[in-house]
Amino acid sequence: MQGQVTAKLLPPIHDGQCGLQSPLSIEAIEANGRSIPLNAPVTTDCGMASALPQWLSAVDSYTEAHEKTRIKTLNLGTGYDCRNVDHAATGNLSFHSFGDAVDVIGFSLEDGRKVTIAPGFNGTKEQGHDILHYARDAACSSFMTVISPDGDSFHQDNMHLDLACHGKTCTMRLCE
Ligand SMILES: [Zn+2]
């Protein structure tokens, strides 16, 4: 599939209460007229695939304006994964279970730096502090849930993004 992302359509996933009807294996995301590859293909639903380009373009523009470099690779962790919230033994299924979430690990930059949530988010500017904070703030307008290291102990080395429904009309955002 071409367009805002480069992705392969996968067959439907049915795994108990988990799964999704039209999974995509995303390989690259279009941002500011370039195709920015992922470190490894990630499986998500169409909603996440549609939301990622706008966010990545914003982070790439910020990086170019403020640090005179651009994003070479977006490094993601888990996309689809059948499990409960925070890997707990009981409780609610995570939005990862429906392909409606990704975990961001960080960015490889054209200047050779690799900035990662740990230690960059609470690190120095050189380690990516400013870029990662901007990435968090920008994510809050593209996604419904954003959990950075400011959020809780489960997100010290990754930033969770999803399109969960919060509030009666699904318009409430959770941004931490
Ligand atoms: Zn997550």
Side-chain angles (χ1 to χ4, degrees):
M1 200 179 85
Q2 278 298 326
Q4 290 211 307
V5 297
T6 305
K8 286 194 183 87
L9 280 165
L10 300 179
I13 299 171
H14 297 293
D15 182 9
Q17 292 183 67
C18 303
L20 61 165
Q21 198 55 40
S22 306
L24 293 172
S25 175
I26 305 177
E27 293 164 5
I29 296 169
E30 222 167 274
N32 300 325
R34 312 196 311 285
S35 177
I36 297 180
L38 303 185
N39 55 317
V42 157
T43 302
T44 74
D45 62 7
C46 297
M48 288 302 289
S50 313
L52 284 163
Q54 182 194 20
W55 168 71
L56 190 61
S57 297
V59 180
D60 184 64
S61 297
Y62 174 92
T63 303
E64 183 155 28
H66 295 270
E67 309 229 358
K68 307 282 178 277
T69 184
R70 302 192 300 182
I71 296 171
K72 192 174 160 196
T73 315
L74 169 62
N75 301 319
L76 297 180
T78 309
Y80 171 75
D81 188 20
C82 186
R83 63 169 170 82
N84 290 328
V85 171
D86 295 334
H87 295 274
T90 58
N92 294 327
L93 283 171
S94 161
F95 272 73
H96 287 283
S97 305
F98 312 105
D100 207 20
V102 297
D103 294 333
V104 176
I105 305 299
F107 307 93
S108 299
L109 305 177
E110 288 182 349
D111 68 5
R113 277 186 293 160
K114 192 172 171 178
V115 302
T116 50
I117 298 290
F121 193 87
N122 290 313
T124 63
K125 181 178 162 77
E126 185 62 23
Q127 288 173 313
H129 172 277
D130 296 3
I131 296 171
L132 294 167
H133 277 254
Y134 180 85
R136 190 271 308 275
D137 296 345
C140 294
S141 48
S142 290
F143 301 93
M144 301 312 283
T145 312
V146 179
I147 310 172
S148 76
D150 286 347
D152 63 37
S153 61
F154 293 100
H155 298 89
Q156 292 306 303
D157 61 0
N158 72 88
M159 178 168 75
H160 174 93
L161 310 177
D162 75 39
L163 292 171
C165 174
H166 302 292
K168 274 202 183 97
T169 55
C170 294
T171 50
M172 224 169 83
R173 293 173 192 268
L174 179 68
C175 180
E176 52 189 33

